């Protein structure tokens, strides 16, 4: 919804407000107008809905492709990719959660499933007795290598084949700006991988 709530008489107002306008008197100064939400204009609303529609469809398309061709959801594929790119194919669980932008409990569940498949194993972190590393196994690397060609084809078909080089550059710039604005760095930041 993108309009302010209305009163029974059709005028804009707030819930519970009287139907008659307040009268300013010499004794009581007029109240400052309440600052409400900055509603989206028609163009912003259309862009927002297009974004939501497109990202939902892209996520669904990539997830179905990976389930069909590799027997894993997109999030598992992303974890395997991160481990394959890490030194010695291993990464601290806390870093893996941060890079995947997921909660530690969700990561723990995903890694448990990947362990069950034989694609990942956990090992104690030598530099921190409380920490653990996730390690990509040879079998996991083989599964990832077989899944990658089909996945990159699906990504190209979903996004890059539909855009000009200039649109690709613009999309990258826009997504970087959005991501930077949503990653606070303060100690009390409410971020998934800190939960």
């Amino acid at each position: 919804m993108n309009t302010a709530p209305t009163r029974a008489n059709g005028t804009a107002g707030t819930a519970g407000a009287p139907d008659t306008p307040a009268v300013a008197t010499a004794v009581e100064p007029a109240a400052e107008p309440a600052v409400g939400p900055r509603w989206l204009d028609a163009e912003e609303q259309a862009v927002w809905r297009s974004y939501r529609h497109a990202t939902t469809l892209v996520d669904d398309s990539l997830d179905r492709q990976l389930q069909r061709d590799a027997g894993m959801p997109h999030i598992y594929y992303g974890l395997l990719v991160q481990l394959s790119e890490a030194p010695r194919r291993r990464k601290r669980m806390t870093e893996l959660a941060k890079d995947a932008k997921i909660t530690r409990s969700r990561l723990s569940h995903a890694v448990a499933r990947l362990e069950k498949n034989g694609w990942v194993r956990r090992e104690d972190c030598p530099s921190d007795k409380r920490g653990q590393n996730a390690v990509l196994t040879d079998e996991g690397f083989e599964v990832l290598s077989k899944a990658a060609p089909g996945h990159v084809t699906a990504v190209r078909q979903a996004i890059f084949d539909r855009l000009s080089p200039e649109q690709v550059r613009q999309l990258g710039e826009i997504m970087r700006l959005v991501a930077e604005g949503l990653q606070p760095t303060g100690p009390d930041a409410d971020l998934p991988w800190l939960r």
Side-chain angles (χ1 to χ4, degrees), residues 92-121:
R92 288 282 303 271
M93 291 283 285
T94 51
E95 287 301 307
L96 195 55
K98 179 180 176 183
D99 293 342
K101 309 292 187 272
I102 58 175
T103 63
R104 289 178 281 199
S105 63
R106 187 174 179 200
L107 174 67
S108 184
H109 176 74
V111 169
R113 295 292 302 270
L114 293 169
E115 280 183 301
K116 187 175 178 182
N117 291 344
W119 301 346
V120 169
R121 73 173 186 275

Side-chain angles (χ1 to χ4, degrees), residues 10-21:
T11 61
T14 57
D19 286 338
T20 56

Side-chain angles (χ1 to χ4, degrees), residues 11 14 29 31 34 45 50 53 56 59 63 84 126 131-132 140 162 164 187 193:
T11 61
T14 57
Q45 186 71 253
S50 293
H53 192 152
T56 299
D59 287 345
D63 203 60
S84 76
Q132 281 193 315
R162 301 172 187 277
S164 70
W193 53 92

Side-chain angles (χ1 to χ4, degrees), residues 16 20 23 27 33 38 40 50 70 77 90 103 118 133-134 137 166 192 194:
T20 56
V23 177
V27 178
R38 292 178 53 222
L40 302 180
S50 293
Y77 180 87
R90 57 186 23 86
T103 63
N133 290 328
T137 65
E166 177 60 18
L194 299 178

Side-chain angles (χ1 to χ4, degrees), residues 4 9 13 24 35 39 41-42 62 71 86 108 129 132 146 159 184-185:
N9 64 7
V35 177
W39 300 106
D41 64 28
L62 297 180
S108 184
K129 296 299 181 190
Q132 281 193 315
K146 288 179 180 175
I159 299 175
T185 56

